Amino acid sequence: MDRIPQELALDILSRLPIPSLVQSKSVCQDWRVLTHDQLLVNKHFKQMVENDPSFILQIMGYSIQNQLYFGDLSSNPNDGNVMMIAKKLTIPPLLNFHLVSSCNGLLLLRATHPSFELCIYNPFTRDYIELPTLSHHDGVRGFGFDPTTKKYKVVEISYKRTTPFTFSRRVVRFGMRRSHQTETSCSLIESKVHILTVGSPTWRNLGCFPFRFMWQKSQVLVNRKLHWRTTTNLIMSFDLATEQFNEVPRPDAITSNSDRRFHELVVLRGCLSAVSFDGNNQELEIWVMKEYAVKDSWVKQFNIGAYVPKIFQSNYQCHSSSNSRFYLPKKCIQVLCLLRNGGVLLQYANKAIVFYDSHCRTFQDIQVTFEGISSCFTAVAHVASLNSTDTFVDT
């Protein structure tokens, strides 16, 4: 191995999938050192961005919920069929957990444990750290990397209903430059914002926020900002560097008064994207913001019609395809990613992953092969790059 130039070794390692890259640490001491080189991290990130993404799959079910798999897409050159091979990952010693969000391959897990609730887990090095406990009510969480401080941060926005509230009032939004109308509801929703810099022993209280965010599965981190949609159909961002909220302009076609409402936010090839449902045409629409924070850069890139994956078709064989949308409502469909060939990867009701060909407007069910047997899964996170191990003790 000493005869291989370092530049060539870095190029070879940067092309390996993450599990193989982690295993390469055992080849020799020199390669072990290279796996911690920031140059390798940067090269590997570039390779992953240029290729189709991989996934972390969490198996759902009372008896098998503590299982994580690494899923890689592959296509058959003979018939063009796409399949996913899912390899089982080692999990941390937690009683029960579910994946909240991810960043650079690191996973934020919410655990049922006597001593702690949240932890950050590296599924490839098997290192994990427990986070300080924070008293909370129902709410949402976000996890991201602040490039200015080179630190990871966890944001928690918790909600608590207080006194009856039947009128509107005007307030200054927390961390924003201009005022905005608060929501009108039958009770006042008190939204408290806390943030934790990973490595710090305590959470910081950033105050209250007069909006309620919608919960969604996937992490939406673009331009070093976390993004959520509100119950009033707005897009709000949280800057991990300045720790301030701001409103992101939405497409003109999507308003609180129109038939088009946000279904979810997603990242497509590095761009903030919004998935909406057109009630008139019964189609999912995918809007892509080509230039961040520029309202005029929103483009409706995809219209996706109704489809019933094969795993569900036996239940619907007595119904026509034109009525299939009534049996697989839009909330059961999740947009996962945009592939290099321009197709869209979709997930249906946690049981099927489907490739949508935007050119031919056709659908193809993707076969998912697990190391083990499972009929119910959910793609809960994207793996974007090799992780920096600065946060963890190297084992």
Side-chain angles (χ1 to χ4, degrees):
M1 293 299 175
D2 294 338
R3 298 178 182 179
I4 301 178
Q6 180 173 332
E7 183 178 348
L8 180 58
L10 286 173
D11 186 64
I12 294 172
L13 293 174
S14 69
R15 299 174 186 273
L16 295 178
I18 294 178
S20 299
L21 185 56
V22 173
Q23 293 174 358
S24 69
K25 295 193 301 183
S26 303
V27 173
C28 62
Q29 180 62 30
D30 289 341
W31 279 34
R32 182 180 180 85
V33 172
L34 283 178
T35 58
H36 298 280
D37 193 313
Q38 187 61 41
L39 181 58
L40 174 60
V41 174
N42 295 338
K43 288 177 69 69
H44 194 274
F45 175 79
K46 184 178 179 181
Q47 290 284 348
M48 293 294 287
V49 168
E50 292 174 352
N51 296 323
D52 288 332
S54 301
F55 300 90
I56 295 292
L57 309 178
Q58 181 176 9
I59 305 304
M60 305 302 291
Y62 291 107
S63 61
I64 55 174
Q65 61 184 335
N66 280 1
Q67 289 186 14
L68 294 176
Y69 287 79
F70 177 82
D72 242 347
L73 292 173
S74 63
S75 59
N76 188 324
N78 297 322
D79 56 20
N81 288 330
V82 180
M83 66 182 303
M84 179 182 291
I85 306 297
K87 298 181 179 180
K88 193 171 183 179
L89 294 170
T90 302
I91 61 173
L94 307 176
L95 296 180
N96 289 296
F97 67 85
H98 73 267
L99 200 155
V100 178
S101 61
S102 67
C103 179
N104 295 338
L106 297 180
L107 310 180
L108 177 63
L109 305 179
R110 181 177 180 183
T112 303
H113 195 281
S115 61
F116 70 94
E117 183 188 27
L118 293 175
C119 77
I120 295 177
Y121 178 55
N122 186 326
F124 307 108
T125 65
R126 305 177 187 178
D127 298 314
Y128 75 96
I129 58 172
E130 303 171 9
L131 302 184
T133 300
L134 176 67
S135 299
H136 65 278
H137 302 276
D138 292 338
V140 298
R141 296 179 177 90
F143 174 47
F145 181 72
D146 178 5
T148 60
T149 61
K150 308 298 182 184
K151 297 289 187 180
Y152 286 91
K153 294 182 177 180
V154 179
V155 181
E156 178 171 293
I157 304 168
S158 58
Y159 305 110
K160 179 181 180 182
R161 294 189 180 276
T162 56
T163 56
F165 185 75
T166 57
F167 58 91
S168 298
R169 59 175 179 150
R170 203 167 191 81
V171 300
V172 177
R173 288 187 286 182
F174 167 75
M176 299 182 65
R177 297 187 180 91
R178 57 188 179 86
S179 63
H180 198 281
Q181 197 77 8
T182 57
E183 300 178 34
T184 302
S185 65
C186 60
S187 63
L188 176 63
I189 301 297
E190 186 179 77
S191 304
K192 294 184 177 180
V193 183
H194 291 82
I195 189 168
L196 175 73
T197 300
V198 176
S200 172
T202 57
W203 292 77
R204 290 179 285 119
N205 188 345
L206 299 184
C208 295
F209 186 67
F211 288 94
R212 186 180 180 113
F213 292 151
M214 301 293 290
W215 180 87
Q216 72 172 61
K217 294 179 183 178
S218 59
Q219 176 75 43
V220 187
L221 178 63
V222 180
N223 200 36
R224 80 178 186 188
K225 299 178 179 67
L226 296 167
H227 297 79
W228 294 273
R229 59 190 178 99
T230 73
T231 54
T232 52
N233 226 28
L234 300 177
I235 302 176
M236 302 299 298
S237 70
F238 180 80
D239 192 311
L240 289 166
T242 64
E243 299 183 355
Q244 291 190 341
F245 286 98
N246 279 287
E247 183 179 339
V248 178
R250 62 190 176 188
D252 285 331
I254 302 177
T255 67
S256 57
N257 299 321
S258 71
D259 291 333
R260 294 181 176 91
R261 293 186 65 84
F262 286 131
H263 175 45
E264 63 175 336
L265 297 177
V266 66
V267 182
L268 297 182
R269 290 289 171 181
C271 294
L272 178 65
S273 304
V275 182
S276 66
F277 185 72
D278 185 344
N280 295 323
N281 299 322
Q282 301 295 327
E283 291 184 327
L284 280 179
E285 299 178 338
I286 301 180
W287 297 76
V288 179
M289 181 178 264
K290 298 293 186 177
E291 187 175 351
Y292 184 77
V294 177
K295 183 174 184 178
D296 292 340
S297 71
W298 279 108
V299 176
K300 184 169 67 172
Q301 193 160 339
F302 302 99
N303 284 339
I304 301 177
Y307 176 72
V308 177
K310 294 178 182 177
I311 192 173
F312 300 112
Q313 287 180 5
S314 59
N315 298 327
Y316 306 138
Q317 54 186 334
C318 61
H319 302 288
S320 67
S321 60
S322 62
N323 291 326
S324 61
R325 60 180 176 269
F326 297 112
Y327 304 99
L328 279 176
K330 63 183 184 300
K331 64 182 179 181
C332 295
I333 305 172
Q334 181 187 2
V335 177
L336 295 179
C337 68
L338 179 63
L339 301 180
R340 284 185 301 167
N341 60 13
V344 181
L345 212 59
L346 306 168
Q347 178 179 269
Y348 287 74
N350 294 344
K351 286 181 176 290
I353 294 180
V354 173
F355 169 70
Y356 173 71
D357 188 323
S358 58
H359 302 294
C360 303
R361 296 182 67 86
T362 57
F363 297 85
Q364 176 188 328
D365 290 56
I366 293 181
Q367 178 185 356
V368 182
T369 303
F370 289 94
E371 289 183 345
I373 300 175
S374 176
S375 60
C376 187
F377 61 89
T378 177
V380 288
H382 293 184
V383 178
S385 67
L386 171 68
N387 301 300
S388 170
T389 54
D390 293 343
T391 309
F392 301 94
V393 177
D394 182 25
T395 57

